[in-house]
Amino acid sequence: HTPNLPHNVEAEQALICSMSIAPEVCADILQMIEPDDFYRPMHAEVFECIRELFLEHGHTDLIAIRDKLDDKGLLQDGEIEYLMNSMQYVQHAQGAKRCAQIVRDHRMKRDLVVYAAQVTEMARNGSDAEAAYADATDRLLKIGNRRSEAGFKHMRDVAMDFYTEIQEKIDHPTPVPWFRIGVRELDNITQGVDNQFIILAAGTSQGKTSLAIQSMRYNEGPFALFSLEMSREAIAGRMI
């Protein structure tokens, strides 16, 4: 690694030590952190061993971690041995999530530093400005998507979050900013739909286009309507 890239070795060490002595924090940490988020490669190796132990057996004690590292031939590494020895002196896992956030933030900063260098290189040496712009935009979106990606989460918790969100919409129906379907019965049930990719399937002449137009009338635009079957004039006729 380049020394001047953003990183916090102490936060990485504290996070790994916390996970080793308090497996109850692992589920939350695994939703936030991936091995590639670590600056030090050996920290990533130890984290991966802890993750495997937690997912396979539900425990992350020091002896099991040592055995796992030994099986992978990593325990002889001087840095890893130092880290393993330091785990013996960690007494609590307070602040584990904070450390995880620090590790994750520094990963994003490193990605942005590399991204800026790559974009600068493309702008200076690329011959096609449009292609360079598209490539730069795609790279930046990947950085953002990586940050928003979720890890493991129990379906019970997902269902409860969804239920809470729906209940909130039902209890407070007036300020709902979601997309209205335009059919009163459906809107009363769903309280609108959020930003999703929705497929409406039905037979020929069953009202699919009419429902789409109805939905557009109930919501603020602008909208784009694509059709492989109907001409512009036919669509305009439906609207009128």
Side-chain angles (χ1 to χ4, degrees), residues 209-210 213-214 216-217 225 230-240:
T209 303
S210 297
I213 294 173
Q214 178 81 349
M216 289 189 289
R217 288 174 175 161
L225 181 59
M230 301 176 64
S231 64
R232 297 185 181 92
E233 292 75 16
I235 293 174
R238 288 286 187 92
M239 290 182 173
I240 296 172

Side-chain angles (χ1 to χ4, degrees), residues 59-197:
H59 63 78
T60 57
D61 62 87
L62 187 59
I63 295 176
I65 296 172
R66 281 183 175 274
D67 290 342
K68 195 79 169 177
L69 289 169
D70 195 27
D71 291 341
K72 294 186 175 185
L74 299 171
L75 200 55
Q76 291 74 25
D77 189 306
E79 288 187 310
I80 290 182
E81 184 64 27
Y82 169 78
L83 180 62
M84 295 299 297
N85 289 334
S86 68
M87 288 181 182
Q88 303 177 49
Y89 305 102
V90 178
Q91 302 298 321
H92 58 76
Q94 294 178 1
K97 287 187 179 181
R98 174 58 181 161
C99 290
Q101 188 64 53
I102 293 173
V103 171
R104 193 178 182 188
D105 286 349
H106 279 78
R107 161 67 188 279
M108 175 169 259
K109 291 177 182 178
R110 291 196 297 274
D111 287 344
L112 290 173
V113 170
V114 174
Y115 165 79
Q118 293 172 339
V119 170
T120 301
E121 181 68 20
M122 287 189 296
R124 287 178 174 174
N125 301 323
S127 58
D128 188 337
E130 291 293 336
Y133 175 78
D135 192 10
T137 303
D138 182 62
R139 291 170 188 254
L140 185 59
L141 287 174
K142 287 180 179 179
I143 293 175
N145 289 339
R146 185 185 302 122
R147 183 174 179 83
S148 62
E149 287 174 356
F152 297 100
K153 192 168 186 179
H154 198 287
M155 183 53 66
R156 176 192 60 236
D157 298 329
V158 176
M160 286 301 299
D161 291 342
F162 181 75
Y163 173 80
T164 301
E165 188 174 17
I166 292 295
Q167 191 62 48
E168 179 68 20
K169 289 165 55 182
I170 294 174
D171 294 340
H172 304 88
T174 303
V176 173
W178 288 16
F179 187 85
R180 293 287 188 173
I181 299 171
V183 178
R184 182 179 302 174
E185 290 79 5
L186 287 176
D187 284 331
N188 287 340
I189 294 173
T190 65
Q191 288 296 302
V193 295
D194 62 355
N195 297 322
Q196 303 177 44
F197 180 72

